[in-house]
Amino acid sequence: MTAVVVVGGGVGGLVAARDLAKGGADVVLVEASDRLGGIVDRHTVAGIELDLGAESFATRGDTVGGLAIELGLGNEIVTPDPRGAWLMTRDGRVAPLPQAGLLGIPGSPTAADVIAVVGTSGALRAQMDSLLPGPVGAKARTLGELVRRRMGDRVLDDLVVPVAAGVHSTHPDELDLDRVAPGLRAALLREGSLGRAVLAQRAKAPAGSAVAGIRGGIARLVDELVADLDTYGVDVRLGTRAVRIDRTAVDVVPVDDGSGTGRPGPAERLVADHVVADVADPSRLVGQRDAAIELVTLVVDQPDLDAAPRGTGMLVHPDAERVRAKAITHATVKWPWLAERAGGRHVLRLSYALSARDGADAIGVGTSLAVDPDSAVAETATADAAALLGVPIDAGVVIGAARVRWRAPDTEPAGLAEGVLGVGEASVGRGLAGVVATSRSVAAGILDA
């Protein structure tokens, strides 16, 4: 049997391990923490079970949907409310997010919903994209550089920056173009303009919503993947940290020797025919190691929110003056199944970008902590929610709150040794669709070999 060591128990590692074991490989999966799933998890706020991290997935390629069907969740796939999201610009203007776009890049720069955000002059500058030769900007390294050269600063700042901040938690000038928008560069050269390239990319996507969810929460995917690991005989070792990852071996150390003193256990070398890594190389310094994203969830009893005043939520320009949140999801509008469970209450999810200085307190990564509605954290989130949704919300209507912190996405490559097969966000970026597709491809390649 082919022996494979999978390092990291995020969704990427789980999918790879499951497919490999199902195909007949002998698989060991090591995970440093005491749980599997990475940023896909659940918590309970005001008696409602909610996703702790990711709560939707991109439908492109049907990779996640196909996996869900294999896992027996096909009938549980749901699409979000069609009202869509809004956005807030740097100067505090709010408007519905233009429909025909990709990462905020408009497919039709002079459409009415685009003009409502960038103004007439910004739209006319963006329309000049159709007059530029196709190669202009085609060698851009980052998403920001491409948009700036083709459509100008106004589209970049008012549309692409808030969308990129909401989706990737990073400024477009720091987002690798081919990593976040695969195929867009080739489409630009083929179509001759960025707008037409965006429309072509959207036309290739499946009909319907660009994202979907799972009734009951995305965490159900992890439940089923973990169950399959047991079914197919994967040797799962929690609390085991990889300290060195090579092409044919992984050096691991238990994080606790069992003595209760917090000392690590004895080192062990796991030798394999193939090594798959859901993490970055442990020996390198990770970009943005101290940067974090904090998600604050509020459950509120405010009937004025029943009308969904700002659709399914809002993306916020990072430099908007009136609020600190970078995005809000009106989850009980976005997901009808959740509205049923909430029984008239509203679930609001606000995300915040934190610096190393903000991260000095003791809250652990991936740990959900209940928050007092009168605390400073809840007060800030409540004020931001009211400003973004345009509805008064005060501490008296907040019946539950929680916060969780996640590591910000890396801005550097995973740095894996030659021959180590990278899966997961460290190698392919944050986003379940890309992670699942890469993991399944890597597993299939090993099995075919």
Side-chain angles (χ1 to χ4, degrees):
M1 296 174 66
T2 299
V4 184
V5 175
V6 177
V7 182
V11 170
L14 296 182
V15 171
R18 181 252 186 196
D19 282 5
L20 285 163
K22 184 180 179 182
D26 182 9
V27 182
V28 176
L29 184 149
V30 296
E31 162 60 39
S33 73
D34 60 359
R35 56 167 293 274
L36 299 171
I39 65 171
V40 178
D41 198 3
R42 57 169 62 87
H43 62 165
T44 300
V45 185
I48 307 172
E49 192 173 84
L50 303 167
D51 280 313
L52 183 62
E55 45 91 42
S56 65
F57 59 86
T59 57
R60 68 177 185 271
D62 201 29
T63 53
V64 182
L67 175 65
I69 291 171
E70 287 186 35
L71 295 173
L73 296 172
N75 291 332
E76 305 299 296
I77 298 174
V78 293
T79 55
D81 184 278
R83 278 172 278 196
W86 287 44
L87 58 78
M88 175 178 282
T89 62
R90 181 193 297 269
D91 56 6
R93 292 177 291 113
V94 298
L97 183 67
Q99 295 298 306
L102 177 69
L103 287 174
I105 307 170
S108 303
T110 54
D113 55 2
V114 177
I115 294 174
V117 178
V118 304
T120 302
S121 61
L124 291 175
R125 166 61 186 89
Q127 186 62 31
M128 289 178 62
D129 159 67
S130 64
L131 304 177
L132 296 173
V136 172
K139 294 184 179 180
R141 185 184 65 83
T142 67
L143 178 68
E145 181 185 355
L146 172 67
V147 175
R148 186 179 290 107
R149 296 197 63 185
R150 299 292 312 190
M151 291 190 172
D153 290 335
R154 192 65 182 269
V155 162
L156 175 64
D157 195 56
D158 286 354
L159 280 173
V160 181
V161 166
V163 173
V167 175
H168 294 287
S169 307
T170 308
H171 192 281
D173 285 338
E174 298 178 2
L175 290 174
D176 182 273
L177 175 61
D178 297 320
R179 189 172 183 179
V180 300
L184 185 59
R185 188 191 307 274
L188 167 62
L189 291 171
R190 184 175 63 251
E191 301 293 334
S193 87
L194 183 56
R196 289 194 293 272
V198 166
L199 294 177
Q201 292 293 92
R202 286 180 60 89
K204 290 166 54 179
S209 174
V211 299
I214 302 290
R215 184 180 290 106
I218 293 293
R220 294 184 65 190
L221 283 173
V222 170
D223 296 339
E224 299 302 327
L225 285 167
V226 172
D228 273 6
L229 297 191
D230 183 58
T231 298
Y232 298 124
V234 176
D235 179 4
V236 177
R237 304 186 187 184
L238 298 177
T240 303
R241 186 183 308 280
V243 294
R244 183 175 180 274
I245 304 174
D246 209 339
R247 183 176 62 84
T248 58
V250 179
D251 294 335
V252 299
V253 176
V255 297
D256 193 329
D257 65 1
S259 65
T261 61
R263 292 194 300 263
E268 179 184 2
R269 167 160 286 199
L270 303 176
V271 178
D273 299 308
H274 303 276
V275 173
V276 176
D278 186 30
V279 298
D281 187 278
S283 66
R284 78 170 178 84
L285 292 175
V286 180
Q288 288 189 316
R289 176 177 295 275
D290 294 321
I293 299 166
E294 184 162 87
L295 177 68
V296 179
T297 300
L298 303 176
V299 177
V300 303
D301 186 5
Q302 172 54 287
D304 290 349
L305 290 173
D306 293 348
R310 301 282 164 81
T312 59
M314 181 174 288
L315 299 171
V316 184
H317 193 288
D319 297 327
E321 296 180 356
R322 291 198 295 156
V323 296
R324 286 187 55 197
K326 70 184 186 67
I328 183 172
T329 299
H330 195 160
T332 38
V333 170
K334 186 173 183 178
W335 305 113
W337 67 265
L338 181 55
E340 294 176 8
R341 291 194 179 183
R345 296 168 292 175
H346 290 267
V347 177
L348 311 175
R349 291 163 44 109
L350 298 98
S351 56
Y352 295 84
L354 304 180
S355 67
R357 183 171 53 190
D358 297 320
D361 59 46
I363 181 172
V365 174
T367 302
S368 175
L369 296 180
V371 173
D372 189 315
D374 293 323
S375 68
V377 171
E379 181 180 345
T380 297
T382 301
D384 285 350
L388 292 172
L389 300 180
V391 170
I393 303 173
D394 56 43
V397 303
V398 178
I399 58 178
R403 65 194 294 214
V404 63
R405 184 163 296 175
W406 298 106
R407 188 81 62 201
D410 286 348
T411 57
E412 298 178 9
L416 298 170
E418 184 178 357
V420 177
L421 303 170
V423 299
E425 66 176 65
S427 295
V428 302
R430 189 161 288 182
L432 289 176
V435 166
V436 169
T438 300
S439 296
R440 307 208 79 174
S441 176
V442 165
I446 292 174
L447 295 172
D448 287 344

